[in-house]
Amino acid sequence: MVKLISSWIYHTLLGWELKGAFPKEIRKYVIIVYPHTSWRDFTMGLLIKYMTGIQAFYIGKKSLFKGGLGWFFRYFGGIPVDRSKNDKVVAQIVSKFNSKEDFIFALSPEGTRKKVKNWKTGFYYIAEEANVPIVKVALDYGMKEVRISTPYFTQGFFEDDIENLKAHFKGAKGYHPDCS
């Protein structure tokens, strides 16, 4: 029922299209979602999550998990992190991959909703160290579509891999296009 309602909201009410699909044959992977320019991206992510049936986890700043809404973010797969400290987040997430038979981890490579020159690289090192592929998800408000790529295994050449990953997102406009 949740899948049906999410699909109806996404396609009929909002008028968006979904291109591509999450891999069914792979049980562990990192999802990178770009661009991330608004809090609305989280609600779009939830619609996609329930529409497609994936059980993805994500990290969020620790302050989101305090107070009355903490249960909400945890319920929907949130893992709190303290970004002011070097808590070895990459190692913690790699450990989760290594300890579970199924684990899908989603994050934004920008690490913020603001415009950035360079992506944060944690997602890359998580995929490398956990030996899992990266699935690219373009959240394009300009075209009102979400584009899901086939899984990409890093090749061990950081700059080349990053350029390959970024190519999937060319032209994608965030909710706030000036931040894309």
Side-chain angles (χ1 to χ4, degrees):
M1 184 60 128
V2 173
K3 182 177 183 171
L4 202 58
I5 292 168
S6 297
S7 185
W8 180 81
I9 291 169
Y10 180 83
H11 292 292
T12 307
L13 194 60
L14 299 177
W16 279 57
E17 285 186 57
L18 182 64
K19 295 187 175 184
F22 291 107
K24 301 278 188 237
E25 70 284 359
I26 299 174
R27 297 168 66 177
K28 298 180 185 184
Y29 52 92
V30 172
I31 297 172
I32 57 172
V33 182
Y34 178 89
H36 176 37
T37 66
S38 169
W39 62 267
R40 290 167 179 86
D41 302 341
F42 179 75
T43 56
M44 290 300 288
L46 288 179
L47 288 173
I48 299 300
K49 177 179 177 171
Y50 287 105
M51 233 172 54
T52 61
I54 65 167
Q55 297 299 316
F57 293 86
Y58 64 93
I59 56 174
K61 57 185 171 182
K62 193 176 177 181
S63 62
L64 289 175
F65 295 85
K66 291 184 178 179
L69 285 179
W71 67 269
F72 174 83
F73 291 110
R74 280 186 185 83
Y75 178 81
F76 289 111
I79 302 168
V81 293
D82 186 349
R83 297 188 302 185
S84 68
K85 297 179 181 175
N86 183 3
D87 281 343
K88 301 185 183 194
V89 175
V90 169
Q92 290 175 32
I93 301 303
V94 169
S95 175
K96 290 215 182 269
F97 271 106
N98 292 337
S99 68
K100 298 186 179 293
E101 287 191 37
D102 297 289
F103 191 68
I104 300 169
F105 179 68
L107 73 160
S108 162
E110 304 106 315
T112 183
R113 293 183 306 266
K114 299 173 188 162
K115 187 169 184 74
V116 297
K117 284 185 181 180
N118 298 308
W119 285 358
K120 299 214 179 261
T121 57
F123 75 90
Y124 181 85
Y125 295 107
I126 291 168
E128 281 263 299
E129 291 178 33
N131 196 29
V132 298
I134 297 169
V135 175
K136 302 164 275 189
V137 176
L139 185 56
D140 192 345
Y141 284 85
M143 298 296 292
K144 292 183 91 172
E145 66 184 21
V146 169
R147 295 185 297 274
I148 303 169
S149 76
T150 56
Y152 176 81
F153 283 91
T154 58
Q155 305 300 305
F157 301 101
F158 180 79
E159 289 83 14
D160 293 342
D161 284 333
I162 294 298
E163 286 308 310
N164 183 302
L165 293 167
K166 285 184 175 183
H168 177 77
F169 302 106
K170 288 221 186 298
K173 300 278 188 233
Y175 183 83
H176 297 291
D178 54 318
C179 294
S180 301

